[in-house]
Amino acid sequence: MAPFEPFERAPIVAVAVSGGRDSLALALLAEEWASARGGRIAGLIVDHALRPESASEAAATAALLGRHGCEAEILRWSEAKPRAGLQEAARVARYRLLREACRRRGVLHLLVAHHADDQAETVAMRAARQSGPDGLAGMSAALELPEVRLLRPLLGVPRSRLTATLVARGVPWIDDPSNADPRFERARLRVGHPTTGQAADRGRPARELRLAAVAVEALGVTSAGEVAIDRSAFVHLGRDQQERLLSRVVQAVGGGDHPPRRDRLERAAGRLCGSVMRGKSGIAQDFTLSACRLVLRQVPRGCRLQWIVRPEHGRRDGRNGAQSLIPAAFFACGASRASHLE
């Protein structure tokens, strides 16, 4: 937890708990961490109501947490279930319920149990989709959402260590059958190409610091609250930084769950650097990318050009995948101390 400091005195943190081994291990470890600081955790259990036994499993998980001194609340997904895209819909509903519970409780930090094996699988799936550089960097350890900070403290920990933690303590867990269901991409990947926890991307913190500095120089906010990219500053960046910065901007503004595909990102970065068609309306150069509309306009009372980035069809509030506009300066994959103390 050190890389996520500072925390308030007597911290109260929420932990998303499914009843599986990963989230149970996280909940027990988080409870020890919080208790040592005079705080506590709130275990949030989402019952997706997709299987007849899900309600009893959620109740059993809540009872288990209670026996270990952890408060628990069951959140039920009661809406109608779609026939197509069920797993994605369940994920969106899960994060919505978790965020609403944190807002209702006034909790500032939400822990989720993604670990090193999950990270490796995520990168493999994104590579298959030809994701851009941000997507291939994997999940971030810290994500700033409107209601709460979403934290992934276990990204540097392999699943085998979490299993060993529960075995050593004699704590039982529930295996979700969907984890082995071949209808779902992640389950197919585990069968065809099993992954193991990989070493943390040690170069990522430095890249994020550089990108944060670039963002401060190249980005602005218009009077209408839209993001403005200074064209001149953008043109003088290296192509890798151009693509990373553009990826962050459109995902933050558009509220997408995933960064743009690499090929689309490359073309878009090229358009931002392309020659300006003089004598023609700026509308002729406008284009869209990942639910955003990018328009080239001249700065009022100036000669500089800016690319204005605005939502294409309105901001998609409530989506859980939107990234922070300015990237976090650290990614807690095995870091031993808080970044602000370095």
Side-chain angles (χ1 to χ4, degrees):
M1 295 292 282
F4 302 114
E5 293 174 353
F7 288 90
E8 63 274 23
R9 290 191 180 92
I12 300 175
V13 298
V15 182
V17 186
S18 67
R21 72 189 78 184
D22 309 331
S23 60
L24 277 177
L26 174 60
L28 297 182
L29 294 170
E31 172 64 19
E32 291 180 358
W33 174 87
S35 295
R37 290 156 180 79
R40 58 185 174 83
I41 74 162
L44 302 179
I45 305 164
V46 177
D47 175 9
H48 296 88
L50 296 176
R51 296 179 290 114
E53 60 272 25
S54 67
S56 61
E57 289 176 352
T61 300
L64 189 153
L65 290 177
R67 290 195 296 271
H68 287 84
C70 305
E71 177 191 353
E73 178 184 356
I74 297 175
L75 311 172
R76 185 177 176 83
W77 183 27
S78 57
E79 290 90 345
K81 310 301 187 286
R83 293 186 177 181
L86 179 59
Q87 193 172 51
E88 173 66 12
R91 185 181 68 85
V92 171
R94 176 168 64 253
Y95 279 99
R96 174 178 57 79
L97 291 168
L98 291 169
R99 290 167 63 173
E100 288 174 352
C102 289
R103 179 171 51 195
R104 184 176 67 251
R105 290 169 165 265
V107 173
L108 301 178
H109 321 283
L110 170 63
L111 308 188
V112 293
H114 295 119
H115 48 71
D117 298 59
D118 291 328
Q119 184 75 296
E121 291 169 358
T122 297
V123 171
M125 290 189 298
R126 291 179 178 179
R129 299 190 192 105
Q130 301 181 28
S131 289
D134 268 356
L136 295 179
M139 294 179 284
S140 61
L143 186 60
E144 303 289 343
L145 299 172
E147 306 89 345
V148 70
R149 286 200 310 162
L150 190 149
L151 308 178
R152 298 182 174 106
L154 301 179
L155 277 184
V157 181
R159 192 182 201 196
S160 59
R161 288 181 59 189
L162 302 178
T163 302
T165 297
L166 295 186
V167 171
R169 300 177 185 217
V171 177
W173 64 83
I174 299 169
D175 284 320
D176 186 344
S178 67
N179 290 332
D181 191 329
R183 292 179 299 169
F184 303 132
E185 180 184 16
R186 195 175 289 269
R188 293 195 299 271
L189 178 67
R190 288 169 182 166
V191 174
H193 303 281
T195 59
T196 57
Q198 298 178 353
D201 181 357
R202 299 296 179 183
R204 187 169 186 179
R207 291 199 303 272
E208 294 295 335
L209 283 171
R210 291 194 296 270
L211 186 59
V214 165
V216 170
E217 294 297 323
L219 302 182
V221 179
T222 70
S223 57
E226 300 166 333
V227 177
I229 303 174
D230 184 274
R231 182 183 178 279
S232 178
F234 188 85
V235 166
H236 287 91
L237 298 177
R239 180 47 63 96
D240 180 70
Q241 284 193 323
Q242 287 177 347
E243 293 177 8
R244 288 182 184 277
L245 182 63
L246 182 57
S247 175
R248 290 298 177 92
V249 169
V250 297
Q251 195 173 1
V253 174
D257 291 319
H258 305 289
R261 289 171 55 102
R262 177 180 291 275
D263 55 348
R264 297 171 184 168
L265 196 57
E266 289 176 348
R267 289 196 298 270
R271 294 188 69 164
L272 264 65
C273 298
S275 59
V276 179
M277 294 181 288
R278 302 205 177 268
K280 293 187 177 181
S281 169
I283 296 176
Q285 299 188 134
D286 297 352
F287 67 100
T288 61
L289 175 68
S290 295
C292 292
R293 186 163 188 81
L294 289 84
V295 302
L296 183 64
R297 298 293 183 265
Q298 189 171 25
V299 177
R301 300 182 299 278
C303 299
R304 292 187 301 114
L305 292 173
Q306 291 179 333
W307 282 99
I308 308 299
V309 186
R310 58 178 64 129
E312 185 178 8
H313 297 298
R315 199 173 292 274
R316 293 187 289 178
D317 290 329
R319 299 296 296 277
N320 59 285
Q323 297 286 337
S324 303
L325 180 57
I326 304 299
F330 69 94
F331 283 76
C333 299
S336 59
R337 59 186 298 187
S339 60
H340 69 284
L341 300 178
E342 297 293 345

PDB file of all heavy atoms in Angstrom, residues 135-169:
ATOM      1  N   GLY A 135      -2.474   0.530 -24.068  1.00  0.00           N
ATOM      2  CA  GLY A 135      -3.113  -0.757 -23.845  1.00  0.00           C
ATOM      3  C   GLY A 135      -2.102  -1.852 -23.577  1.00  0.00           C
ATOM      4  O   GLY A 135      -2.288  -2.693 -22.697  1.00  0.00           O
ATOM      5  N   LEU A 136      -0.994  -1.847 -24.315  1.00  0.00           N
ATOM      6  CA  LEU A 136       0.028  -2.870 -24.139  1.00  0.00           C
ATOM      7  C   LEU A 136       0.818  -2.670 -22.855  1.00  0.00           C
ATOM      8  O   LEU A 136       1.558  -3.561 -22.442  1.00  0.00           O
ATOM      9  CB  LEU A 136       0.968  -2.880 -25.349  1.00  0.00           C
ATOM     10  CG  LEU A 136       0.306  -3.290 -26.668  1.00  0.00           C
ATOM     11  CD1 LEU A 136       1.310  -3.241 -27.802  1.00  0.00           C
ATOM     12  CD2 LEU A 136      -0.303  -4.682 -26.554  1.00  0.00           C
ATOM     13  N   ALA A 137       0.689  -1.514 -22.228  1.00  0.00           N
ATOM     14  CA  ALA A 137       1.340  -1.302 -20.932  1.00  0.00           C
ATOM     15  C   ALA A 137       0.578  -1.989 -19.817  1.00  0.00           C
ATOM     16  O   ALA A 137       1.072  -2.117 -18.704  1.00  0.00           O
ATOM     17  CB  ALA A 137       1.455   0.194 -20.633  1.00  0.00           C
ATOM     18  N   GLY A 138      -0.643  -2.451 -20.092  1.00  0.00           N
ATOM     19  CA  GLY A 138      -1.407  -3.181 -19.093  1.00  0.00           C
ATOM     20  C   GLY A 138      -2.243  -2.277 -18.210  1.00  0.00           C
ATOM     21  O   GLY A 138      -2.408  -1.080 -18.463  1.00  0.00           O
ATOM     22  N   MET A 139      -2.797  -2.882 -17.154  1.00  0.00           N
ATOM     23  CA  MET A 139      -3.635  -2.141 -16.214  1.00  0.00           C
ATOM     24  C   MET A 139      -2.774  -1.260 -15.326  1.00  0.00           C
ATOM     25  O   MET A 139      -1.685  -1.649 -14.910  1.00  0.00           O
ATOM     26  CB  MET A 139      -4.420  -3.119 -15.336  1.00  0.00           C
ATOM     27  CG  MET A 139      -5.432  -3.954 -16.065  1.00  0.00           C
ATOM     28  SD  MET A 139      -6.298  -5.119 -14.958  1.00  0.00           S
ATOM     29  CE  MET A 139      -5.032  -6.380 -14.739  1.00  0.00           C
ATOM     30  N   SER A 140      -3.273  -0.070 -15.025  1.00  0.00           N
ATOM     31  CA  SER A 140      -2.555   0.809 -14.105  1.00  0.00           C
ATOM     32  C   SER A 140      -2.908   0.434 -12.677  1.00  0.00           C
ATOM     33  O   SER A 140      -3.994  -0.069 -12.396  1.00  0.00           O
ATOM     34  CB  SER A 140      -2.921   2.270 -14.370  1.00  0.00           C
ATOM     35  OG  SER A 140      -4.294   2.485 -14.176  1.00  0.00           O
ATOM     36  N   ALA A 141      -1.963   0.695 -11.778  1.00  0.00           N
ATOM     37  CA  ALA A 141      -2.182   0.358 -10.375  1.00  0.00           C
ATOM     38  C   ALA A 141      -3.087   1.361  -9.682  1.00  0.00           C
ATOM     39  O   ALA A 141      -3.693   1.035  -8.662  1.00  0.00           O
ATOM     40  CB  ALA A 141      -0.847   0.280  -9.641  1.00  0.00           C
ATOM     41  N   ALA A 142      -3.191   2.562 -10.208  1.00  0.00           N
ATOM     42  CA  ALA A 142      -4.031   3.597  -9.591  1.00  0.00           C
ATOM     43  C   ALA A 142      -4.860   4.273 -10.667  1.00  0.00           C
ATOM     44  O   ALA A 142      -4.345   4.604 -11.732  1.00  0.00           O
ATOM     45  CB  ALA A 142      -3.170   4.627  -8.871  1.00  0.00           C
ATOM     46  N   LEU A 143      -6.129   4.445 -10.406  1.00  0.00           N
ATOM     47  CA  LEU A 143      -7.033   5.081 -11.356  1.00  0.00           C
ATOM     48  C   LEU A 143      -7.937   6.036 -10.597  1.00  0.00           C
ATOM     49  O   LEU A 143      -8.618   5.639  -9.650  1.00  0.00           O
ATOM     50  CB  LEU A 143      -7.871   4.011 -12.066  1.00  0.00           C
ATOM     51  CG  LEU A 143      -8.771   4.473 -13.203  1.00  0.00           C
ATOM     52  CD1 LEU A 143      -7.963   5.113 -14.308  1.00  0.00           C
ATOM     53  CD2 LEU A 143      -9.546   3.288 -13.758  1.00  0.00           C
ATOM     54  N   GLU A 144      -7.926   7.297 -10.986  1.00  0.00           N
ATOM     55  CA  GLU A 144      -8.748   8.312 -10.323  1.00  0.00           C
ATOM     56  C   GLU A 144     -10.119   8.359 -10.988  1.00  0.00           C
ATOM     57  O   GLU A 144     -10.234   8.690 -12.166  1.00  0.00           O
ATOM     58  CB  GLU A 144      -8.077   9.684 -10.421  1.00  0.00           C
ATOM     59  CG  GLU A 144      -6.671   9.738  -9.842  1.00  0.00           C
ATOM     60  CD  GLU A 144      -6.650   9.650  -8.332  1.00  0.00           C
ATOM     61  OE1 GLU A 144      -7.719   9.874  -7.710  1.00  0.00           O
ATOM     62  OE2 GLU A 144      -5.585   9.363  -7.774  1.00  0.00           O
ATOM     63  N   LEU A 145     -11.152   7.997 -10.245  1.00  0.00           N
ATOM     64  CA  LEU A 145     -12.526   8.052 -10.721  1.00  0.00           C
ATOM     65  C   LEU A 145     -13.262   9.168  -9.989  1.00  0.00           C
ATOM     66  O   LEU A 145     -12.794   9.639  -8.945  1.00  0.00           O
ATOM     67  CB  LEU A 145     -13.214   6.711 -10.475  1.00  0.00           C
ATOM     68  CG  LEU A 145     -12.572   5.510 -11.186  1.00  0.00           C
ATOM     69  CD1 LEU A 145     -13.216   4.223 -10.720  1.00  0.00           C
ATOM     70  CD2 LEU A 145     -12.680   5.653 -12.689  1.00  0.00           C
ATOM     71  N   PRO A 146     -14.396   9.615 -10.506  1.00  0.00           N
ATOM     72  CA  PRO A 146     -15.096  10.737  -9.851  1.00  0.00           C
ATOM     73  C   PRO A 146     -15.442  10.473  -8.391  1.00  0.00           C
ATOM     74  O   PRO A 146     -15.388  11.380  -7.564  1.00  0.00           O
ATOM     75  CB  PRO A 146     -16.366  10.888 -10.709  1.00  0.00           C
ATOM     76  CG  PRO A 146     -15.991  10.362 -12.044  1.00  0.00           C
ATOM     77  CD  PRO A 146     -15.040   9.233 -11.777  1.00  0.00           C
ATOM     78  N   GLU A 147     -15.780   9.209  -8.060  1.00  0.00           N
ATOM     79  CA  GLU A 147     -16.225   8.922  -6.700  1.00  0.00           C
ATOM     80  C   GLU A 147     -15.106   8.435  -5.795  1.00  0.00           C
ATOM     81  O   GLU A 147     -15.190   8.579  -4.571  1.00  0.00           O
ATOM     82  CB  GLU A 147     -17.318   7.838  -6.717  1.00  0.00           C
ATOM     83  CG  GLU A 147     -18.499   8.142  -7.609  1.00  0.00           C
ATOM     84  CD  GLU A 147     -18.291   7.634  -9.028  1.00  0.00           C
ATOM     85  OE1 GLU A 147     -17.130   7.298  -9.381  1.00  0.00           O
ATOM     86  OE2 GLU A 147     -19.266   7.572  -9.778  1.00  0.00           O
ATOM     87  N   VAL A 148     -14.074   7.807  -6.365  1.00  0.00           N
ATOM     88  CA  VAL A 148     -13.155   7.039  -5.545  1.00  0.00           C
ATOM     89  C   VAL A 148     -11.848   6.804  -6.302  1.00  0.00           C
ATOM     90  O   VAL A 148     -11.810   6.901  -7.526  1.00  0.00           O
ATOM     91  CB  VAL A 148     -13.822   5.687  -5.180  1.00  0.00           C
ATOM     92  CG1 VAL A 148     -13.935   4.786  -6.396  1.00  0.00           C
ATOM     93  CG2 VAL A 148     -13.115   4.974  -4.047  1.00  0.00           C
ATOM     94  N   ARG A 149     -10.792   6.520  -5.552  1.00  0.00           N
ATOM     95  CA  ARG A 149      -9.544   6.047  -6.166  1.00  0.00           C
ATOM     96  C   ARG A 149      -9.616   4.518  -6.273  1.00  0.00           C
ATOM     97  O   ARG A 149      -9.776   3.838  -5.271  1.00  0.00           O
ATOM     98  CB  ARG A 149      -8.332   6.409  -5.309  1.00  0.00           C
ATOM     99  CG  ARG A 149      -7.933   7.849  -5.331  1.00  0.00           C
ATOM    100  CD  ARG A 149      -6.482   8.009  -4.879  1.00  0.00           C
ATOM    101  NE  ARG A 149      -6.184   7.315  -3.629  1.00  0.00           N
ATOM    102  CZ  ARG A 149      -4.954   7.010  -3.219  1.00  0.00           C
ATOM    103  NH1 ARG A 149      -3.910   7.321  -3.965  1.00  0.00           N
ATOM    104  NH2 ARG A 149      -4.757   6.413  -2.063  1.00  0.00           N
ATOM    105  N   LEU A 150      -9.480   3.992  -7.480  1.00  0.00           N
ATOM    106  CA  LEU A 150      -9.448   2.556  -7.672  1.00  0.00           C
ATOM    107  C   LEU A 150      -7.991   2.112  -7.635  1.00  0.00           C
ATOM    108  O   LEU A 150      -7.179   2.561  -8.449  1.00  0.00           O
ATOM    109  CB  LEU A 150     -10.111   2.168  -8.992  1.00  0.00           C
ATOM    110  CG  LEU A 150     -10.361   0.677  -9.219  1.00  0.00           C
ATOM    111  CD1 LEU A 150     -11.597   0.467 -10.071  1.00  0.00           C
ATOM    112  CD2 LEU A 150      -9.161   0.003  -9.870  1.00  0.00           C
ATOM    113  N   LEU A 151      -7.650   1.241  -6.698  1.00  0.00           N
ATOM    114  CA  LEU A 151      -6.262   0.846  -6.466  1.00  0.00           C
ATOM    115  C   LEU A 151      -6.099  -0.656  -6.666  1.00  0.00           C
ATOM    116  O   LEU A 151      -6.939  -1.451  -6.250  1.00  0.00           O
ATOM    117  CB  LEU A 151      -5.835   1.219  -5.037  1.00  0.00           C
ATOM    118  CG  LEU A 151      -6.073   2.670  -4.618  1.00  0.00           C
ATOM    119  CD1 LEU A 151      -5.638   2.881  -3.171  1.00  0.00           C
ATOM    120  CD2 LEU A 151      -5.337   3.636  -5.537  1.00  0.00           C
ATOM    121  N   ARG A 152      -4.984  -1.024  -7.296  1.00  0.00           N
ATOM    122  CA  ARG A 152      -4.664  -2.439  -7.532  1.00  0.00           C
ATOM    123  C   ARG A 152      -3.313  -2.746  -6.879  1.00  0.00           C
ATOM    124  O   ARG A 152      -2.279  -2.753  -7.552  1.00  0.00           O
ATOM    125  CB  ARG A 152      -4.609  -2.724  -9.034  1.00  0.00           C
ATOM    126  CG  ARG A 152      -5.935  -2.501  -9.781  1.00  0.00           C
ATOM    127  CD  ARG A 152      -5.788  -2.864 -11.248  1.00  0.00           C
ATOM    128  NE  ARG A 152      -7.048  -2.795 -11.966  1.00  0.00           N
ATOM    129  CZ  ARG A 152      -7.373  -1.828 -12.829  1.00  0.00           C
ATOM    130  NH1 ARG A 152      -6.520  -0.827 -13.062  1.00  0.00           N
ATOM    131  NH2 ARG A 152      -8.524  -1.842 -13.452  1.00  0.00           N
ATOM    132  N   PRO A 153      -3.287  -3.010  -5.583  1.00  0.00           N
ATOM    133  CA  PRO A 153      -2.010  -3.184  -4.898  1.00  0.00           C
ATOM    134  C   PRO A 153      -1.311  -4.512  -5.179  1.00  0.00           C
ATOM    135  O   PRO A 153      -0.154  -4.682  -4.803  1.00  0.00           O
ATOM    136  CB  PRO A 153      -2.394  -3.080  -3.417  1.00  0.00           C
ATOM    137  CG  PRO A 153      -3.824  -3.489  -3.371  1.00  0.00           C
ATOM    138  CD  PRO A 153      -4.432  -3.011  -4.651  1.00  0.00           C
ATOM    139  N   LEU A 154      -1.996  -5.458  -5.849  1.00  0.00           N
ATOM    140  CA  LEU A 154      -1.417  -6.789  -6.041  1.00  0.00           C
ATOM    141  C   LEU A 154      -0.874  -7.021  -7.446  1.00  0.00           C
ATOM    142  O   LEU A 154      -0.555  -8.158  -7.801  1.00  0.00           O
ATOM    143  CB  LEU A 154      -2.476  -7.863  -5.737  1.00  0.00           C
ATOM    144  CG  LEU A 154      -3.082  -7.859  -4.335  1.00  0.00           C
ATOM    145  CD1 LEU A 154      -4.118  -8.964  -4.215  1.00  0.00           C
ATOM    146  CD2 LEU A 154      -1.998  -8.010  -3.279  1.00  0.00           C
ATOM    147  N   LEU A 155      -0.735  -5.982  -8.250  1.00  0.00           N
ATOM    148  CA  LEU A 155      -0.323  -6.186  -9.638  1.00  0.00           C
ATOM    149  C   LEU A 155       1.051  -6.833  -9.771  1.00  0.00           C
ATOM    150  O   LEU A 155       1.340  -7.439 -10.793  1.00  0.00           O
ATOM    151  CB  LEU A 155      -0.339  -4.853 -10.404  1.00  0.00           C
ATOM    152  CG  LEU A 155      -1.700  -4.406 -10.948  1.00  0.00           C
ATOM    153  CD1 LEU A 155      -1.538  -3.135 -11.768  1.00  0.00           C
ATOM    154  CD2 LEU A 155      -2.340  -5.497 -11.795  1.00  0.00           C
ATOM    155  N   GLY A 156       1.875  -6.697  -8.779  1.00  0.00           N
ATOM    156  CA  GLY A 156       3.191  -7.317  -8.846  1.00  0.00           C
ATOM    157  C   GLY A 156       3.259  -8.672  -8.172  1.00  0.00           C
ATOM    158  O   GLY A 156       4.341  -9.254  -8.053  1.00  0.00           O
ATOM    159  N   VAL A 157       2.112  -9.211  -7.742  1.00  0.00           N
ATOM    160  CA  VAL A 157       2.085 -10.453  -6.965  1.00  0.00           C
ATOM    161  C   VAL A 157       1.470 -11.570  -7.804  1.00  0.00           C
ATOM    162  O   VAL A 157       0.349 -11.430  -8.294  1.00  0.00           O
ATOM    163  CB  VAL A 157       1.263 -10.269  -5.668  1.00  0.00           C
ATOM    164  CG1 VAL A 157       1.252 -11.564  -4.850  1.00  0.00           C
ATOM    165  CG2 VAL A 157       1.812  -9.111  -4.852  1.00  0.00           C
ATOM    166  N   PRO A 158       2.157 -12.709  -7.974  1.00  0.00           N
ATOM    167  CA  PRO A 158       1.559 -13.823  -8.730  1.00  0.00           C
ATOM    168  C   PRO A 158       0.438 -14.492  -7.948  1.00  0.00           C
ATOM    169  O   PRO A 158       0.417 -14.475  -6.715  1.00  0.00           O
ATOM    170  CB  PRO A 158       2.741 -14.786  -8.935  1.00  0.00           C
ATOM    171  CG  PRO A 158       3.691 -14.463  -7.843  1.00  0.00           C
ATOM    172  CD  PRO A 158       3.546 -12.993  -7.574  1.00  0.00           C
ATOM    173  N   ARG A 159      -0.472 -15.097  -8.675  1.00  0.00           N
ATOM    174  CA  ARG A 159      -1.630 -15.723  -8.040  1.00  0.00           C
ATOM    175  C   ARG A 159      -1.230 -16.850  -7.092  1.00  0.00           C
ATOM    176  O   ARG A 159      -1.893 -17.102  -6.082  1.00  0.00           O
ATOM    177  CB  ARG A 159      -2.575 -16.267  -9.114  1.00  0.00           C
ATOM    178  CG  ARG A 159      -3.929 -16.661  -8.563  1.00  0.00           C
ATOM    179  CD  ARG A 159      -4.829 -17.243  -9.622  1.00  0.00           C
ATOM    180  NE  ARG A 159      -6.223 -17.155  -9.199  1.00  0.00           N
ATOM    181  CZ  ARG A 159      -7.199 -17.857  -9.768  1.00  0.00           C
ATOM    182  NH1 ARG A 159      -6.938 -18.658 -10.757  1.00  0.00           N
ATOM    183  NH2 ARG A 159      -8.442 -17.720  -9.350  1.00  0.00           N
ATOM    184  N   SER A 160      -0.140 -17.542  -7.384  1.00  0.00           N
ATOM    185  CA  SER A 160       0.287 -18.651  -6.539  1.00  0.00           C
ATOM    186  C   SER A 160       0.562 -18.193  -5.111  1.00  0.00           C
ATOM    187  O   SER A 160       0.306 -18.921  -4.147  1.00  0.00           O
ATOM    188  CB  SER A 160       1.539 -19.308  -7.123  1.00  0.00           C
ATOM    189  OG  SER A 160       2.602 -18.353  -7.234  1.00  0.00           O
ATOM    190  N   ARG A 161       1.073 -16.972  -4.952  1.00  0.00           N
ATOM    191  CA  ARG A 161       1.329 -16.466  -3.605  1.00  0.00           C
ATOM    192  C   ARG A 161       0.035 -16.147  -2.873  1.00  0.00           C
ATOM    193  O   ARG A 161      -0.061 -16.318  -1.660  1.00  0.00           O
ATOM    194  CB  ARG A 161       2.229 -15.225  -3.673  1.00  0.00           C
ATOM    195  CG  ARG A 161       3.668 -15.548  -4.048  1.00  0.00           C
ATOM    196  CD  ARG A 161       4.525 -14.315  -4.089  1.00  0.00           C
ATOM    197  NE  ARG A 161       4.552 -13.615  -2.808  1.00  0.00           N
ATOM    198  CZ  ARG A 161       5.097 -12.417  -2.631  1.00  0.00           C
ATOM    199  NH1 ARG A 161       5.652 -11.790  -3.652  1.00  0.00           N
ATOM    200  NH2 ARG A 161       5.086 -11.852  -1.442  1.00  0.00           N
ATOM    201  N   LEU A 162      -0.974 -15.681  -3.589  1.00  0.00           N
ATOM    202  CA  LEU A 162      -2.264 -15.405  -2.955  1.00  0.00           C
ATOM    203  C   LEU A 162      -2.929 -16.709  -2.517  1.00  0.00           C
ATOM    204  O   LEU A 162      -3.515 -16.786  -1.440  1.00  0.00           O
ATOM    205  CB  LEU A 162      -3.166 -14.637  -3.921  1.00  0.00           C
ATOM    206  CG  LEU A 162      -2.600 -13.302  -4.420  1.00  0.00           C
ATOM    207  CD1 LEU A 162      -3.563 -12.662  -5.400  1.00  0.00           C
ATOM    208  CD2 LEU A 162      -2.310 -12.364  -3.263  1.00  0.00           C
ATOM    209  N   THR A 163      -2.828 -17.733  -3.374  1.00  0.00           N
ATOM    210  CA  THR A 163      -3.361 -19.049  -3.000  1.00  0.00           C
ATOM    211  C   THR A 163      -2.660 -19.561  -1.750  1.00  0.00           C
ATOM    212  O   THR A 163      -3.303 -20.062  -0.818  1.00  0.00           O
ATOM    213  CB  THR A 163      -3.180 -20.035  -4.162  1.00  0.00           C
ATOM    214  OG1 THR A 163      -3.832 -19.531  -5.333  1.00  0.00           O
ATOM    215  CG2 THR A 163      -3.759 -21.396  -3.807  1.00  0.00           C
ATOM    216  N   ALA A 164      -1.331 -19.452  -1.727  1.00  0.00           N
ATOM    217  CA  ALA A 164      -0.566 -19.932  -0.575  1.00  0.00           C
ATOM    218  C   ALA A 164      -0.942 -19.183   0.694  1.00  0.00           C
ATOM    219  O   ALA A 164      -0.955 -19.760   1.795  1.00  0.00           O
ATOM    220  CB  ALA A 164       0.934 -19.789  -0.855  1.00  0.00           C
ATOM    221  N   THR A 165      -1.273 -17.906   0.571  1.00  0.00           N
ATOM    222  CA  THR A 165      -1.676 -17.109   1.737  1.00  0.00           C
ATOM    223  C   THR A 165      -2.936 -17.677   2.370  1.00  0.00           C
ATOM    224  O   THR A 165      -3.027 -17.820   3.599  1.00  0.00           O
ATOM    225  CB  THR A 165      -1.909 -15.647   1.316  1.00  0.00           C
ATOM    226  OG1 THR A 165      -0.679 -15.097   0.849  1.00  0.00           O
ATOM    227  CG2 THR A 165      -2.411 -14.810   2.486  1.00  0.00           C
ATOM    228  N   LEU A 166      -3.924 -18.025   1.546  1.00  0.00           N
ATOM    229  CA  LEU A 166      -5.170 -18.575   2.086  1.00  0.00           C
ATOM    230  C   LEU A 166      -4.968 -19.989   2.625  1.00  0.00           C
ATOM    231  O   LEU A 166      -5.534 -20.356   3.666  1.00  0.00           O
ATOM    232  CB  LEU A 166      -6.252 -18.565   1.012  1.00  0.00           C
ATOM    233  CG  LEU A 166      -6.706 -17.185   0.513  1.00  0.00           C
ATOM    234  CD1 LEU A 166      -7.881 -17.348  -0.448  1.00  0.00           C
ATOM    235  CD2 LEU A 166      -7.089 -16.276   1.665  1.00  0.00           C
ATOM    236  N   VAL A 167      -4.183 -20.795   1.915  1.00  0.00           N
ATOM    237  CA  VAL A 167      -3.931 -22.163   2.373  1.00  0.00           C
ATOM    238  C   VAL A 167      -3.252 -22.146   3.738  1.00  0.00           C
ATOM    239  O   VAL A 167      -3.616 -22.904   4.653  1.00  0.00           O
ATOM    240  CB  VAL A 167      -3.078 -22.928   1.345  1.00  0.00           C
ATOM    241  CG1 VAL A 167      -2.626 -24.259   1.913  1.00  0.00           C
ATOM    242  CG2 VAL A 167      -3.864 -23.144   0.056  1.00  0.00           C
ATOM    243  N   ALA A 168      -2.273 -21.244   3.901  1.00  0.00           N
ATOM    244  CA  ALA A 168      -1.543 -21.166   5.169  1.00  0.00           C
ATOM    245  C   ALA A 168      -2.460 -20.763   6.318  1.00  0.00           C
ATOM    246  O   ALA A 168      -2.237 -21.148   7.470  1.00  0.00           O
ATOM    247  CB  ALA A 168      -0.386 -20.179   5.041  1.00  0.00           C
ATOM    248  N   ARG A 169      -3.512 -20.007   6.017  1.00  0.00           N
ATOM    249  CA  ARG A 169      -4.433 -19.542   7.063  1.00  0.00           C
ATOM    250  C   ARG A 169      -5.663 -20.427   7.196  1.00  0.00           C
ATOM    251  O   ARG A 169      -6.531 -20.164   8.033  1.00  0.00           O
ATOM    252  CB  ARG A 169      -4.871 -18.106   6.759  1.00  0.00           C
ATOM    253  CG  ARG A 169      -3.711 -17.120   6.703  1.00  0.00           C
ATOM    254  CD  ARG A 169      -4.196 -15.741   6.319  1.00  0.00           C
ATOM    255  NE  ARG A 169      -3.057 -14.818   6.155  1.00  0.00           N
ATOM    256  CZ  ARG A 169      -3.073 -13.549   6.508  1.00  0.00           C
ATOM    257  NH1 ARG A 169      -4.161 -13.045   7.054  1.00  0.00           N
ATOM    258  NH2 ARG A 169      -2.022 -12.783   6.334  1.00  0.00           N
TER     259      ARG A 169
END
